[in-house]
Amino acid sequence: MENKKIKRIGVLTSGGDAPGMNAAVRAVVRTAISYGMECVGIRRGWQGLINSDFINMKSDSVNHILSRGGTILYTARSDDFMTEEGRKKAVSTCKMLGIDAVIAIGGDGTFRGALELSRLGIPVVGIPATIDNDLGCSNYTIGFDTACNTAIECIDRLRDTMQSHERCSVVEVMGRNAGFLALYVAIAAGATAVLVPERELDFRKDVVERIQNARLAGNTHFMIVVAEGVGSAFEIGARIKEELGMDPRVTVLGHIQRGGSPNARDRETATRMGYFAIKVLAEGRSNCIVGTQQGGIVDIPIEEALGMKKRLQMERYNVLEAMGNFSR
Ligand code: F6P
């Protein structure tokens, strides 16, 4: 497996970390080596490319990282890379280090950076990794499943104490402007209600009536999942207190959801995506994002991929609603 054009690649992780990023780095490094390419790890995302912050990577540089959360390459959100001057420096670093192509692992912001770099003549391939699962070009993004399981585990624990005290719990989950994480978690955790940014909030119908119906069905504790994109869970808790006379407890799960060892789905998907990204380069393609579609992995030109929208499946919202009117 010898590649004529791409001799040396750079790999970086950028934006919010996600469980499985390390698995993707490992797959990229090992596959690149199997194609006879050299590998440079760029540290701290696009900022590392500006600052020449790098390490040479061999096969054993990625030993024992498959099961580790976070990213051994560190990550950052770079303001400098948003400037033309910063991007020019990044191109100079690529030239200085002899990097023929960059593999960028991250989310939407990472791929906007990738597009800019590709416009300056550096070939790039993106690998989607974000717990938000909000990229239109890929059904699945690395880290989502592990984050869902972490959130569910936390909510199960909360339920124990909520049930004992016959309380209402309001739990805020991450997801930035999207409700994928919240909706999936709410179904899997058996929430009384879920609030997502994709659906305009009708507080009476979506919260008050759902709690009242659950109460009529015999429930004595209530779990309300709020996507961070909707607003503050504390405000939702205060409104519940005001309108229902309850005394809810509010929990913001926060960055807990981003940590932890990646589960099987994230390790497997990350490994396949990492392998595929290098294969794409070896076959002479670049300036694309790899993504899962109908079970397989495809590559889509970056600009097109960035324009693709992922719709929150409202059928899932209906599923949650249908589960709500029964005693747990
Ligand atoms: O995009 C991943 C994510 O965890 C979002 O869900 C969240 O809004 C954001 O990153 C938090 O970013 P930071 O780690 O900078 O606080």
Side-chain angles (χ1 to χ4, degrees):
M1 285 200 278
E2 182 88 17
N3 179 265
K4 291 281 173 280
K5 277 201 202 135
I6 310 281
K7 297 273 184 225
R8 196 165 158 85
I9 61 138
V11 55
L12 60 84
T13 51
S14 166
D17 63 353
M21 276 183 162
N22 279 329
V25 170
R26 171 181 176 269
V28 164
V29 170
R30 295 214 166 145
T31 311
I33 290 169
S34 77
Y35 273 98
M37 300 173 189
E38 288 176 349
C39 257
V40 175
I42 313 291
R43 305 199 302 177
R44 301 178 178 86
W46 296 122
Q47 192 62 38
L49 210 53
I50 293 171
N51 297 344
S52 304
D53 183 0
F54 71 96
I55 42 165
N56 289 315
M57 298 189 90
K58 306 275 174 228
S59 179
D60 61 3
S61 314
V62 291
N63 283 354
H64 312 304
I65 66 166
L66 181 62
S67 60
R68 278 174 60 186
T71 161
I72 60 161
L73 292 178
Y74 304 97
T75 185
R77 294 189 172 99
S78 170
D79 289 336
D80 291 344
F81 200 75
M82 313 278 250
T83 67
E84 208 182 315
E85 199 193 331
R87 291 193 291 271
K88 279 187 182 155
K89 275 194 195 156
V91 172
S92 304
T93 305
C94 288
K95 300 229 159 104
M96 182 189 77
L97 297 177
I99 291 173
D100 302 313
V102 172
I103 305 282
I105 304 168
D108 189 71
T110 304
F111 300 149
R112 293 196 186 279
L115 180 63
E116 295 300 334
L117 194 67
S118 71
R119 284 180 174 151
L120 295 175
I122 306 292
V124 190
V125 177
I127 297 180
T130 162
I131 66 160
D132 303 338
N133 200 23
D134 59 349
L135 299 175
C137 62
S138 189
N139 286 340
Y140 186 76
T141 62
I142 297 164
F144 178 70
D145 204 40
T146 304
C148 283
N149 280 293
T150 303
I152 288 162
E153 193 189 325
C154 294
I155 292 176
D156 286 348
R157 283 167 193 254
L158 277 173
R159 186 182 290 286
D160 291 344
T161 167
M162 291 301 128
Q163 186 263 329
S164 307
H165 286 264
E166 301 181 280
R167 274 179 174 151
C168 174
S169 190
V170 182
V171 183
E172 183 179 305
V173 302
M174 278 189 167
R176 202 176 287 274
N177 302 316
F180 298 101
L181 191 61
L183 185 51
Y184 201 95
V185 162
I187 292 174
T192 313
V194 62
L195 310 185
V196 290
E198 291 83 352
R199 195 173 185 276
E200 201 186 331
L201 176 62
D202 177 339
F203 197 78
R204 173 134 291 275
K205 194 166 163 291
D206 299 337
V207 182
V208 175
E209 286 178 15
R210 290 188 62 78
I211 292 176
Q212 285 170 338
N213 289 344
R215 198 187 250 157
L216 283 175
N219 289 288
T220 57
H221 69 281
F222 312 94
M223 188 66 68
I224 313 298
V225 173
V226 180
E228 66 173 344
V230 167
S232 161
F234 286 97
E235 278 170 27
I236 301 292
R239 280 186 78 179
I240 290 174
K241 185 169 188 172
E242 201 179 290
E243 299 206 20
L244 284 156
M246 292 174 153
D247 188 15
R249 293 295 185 267
V250 178
T251 308
V252 177
L253 294 184
H255 290 83
I256 290 276
Q257 295 158 100
R258 288 230 302 255
S261 176
N263 67 12
R265 183 170 189 187
D266 284 321
R267 295 182 199 190
E268 198 265 354
T269 308
T271 304
R272 282 196 298 138
M273 283 182 172
Y275 168 84
F276 196 88
I278 293 294
K279 195 162 167 278
V280 161
L281 281 178
E283 288 170 0
R285 301 194 299 285
S286 64
N287 303 340
C288 55
I289 297 172
V290 304
T292 56
Q293 280 184 17
Q294 283 145 16
I297 300 190
V298 296
D299 55 288
I300 301 162
I302 302 178
E303 210 165 350
E304 187 186 330
L306 283 172
M308 291 166 85
K309 296 270 170 280
K310 188 184 278 178
R311 198 180 57 85
L312 189 76
Q313 291 172 316
M314 279 307 165
E315 304 88 272
R316 289 207 161 132
Y317 191 88
N318 301 339
V319 169
L320 183 80
E321 247 179 350
M323 298 297 114
N325 302 330
F326 301 93
S327 174
R328 283 185 58 87

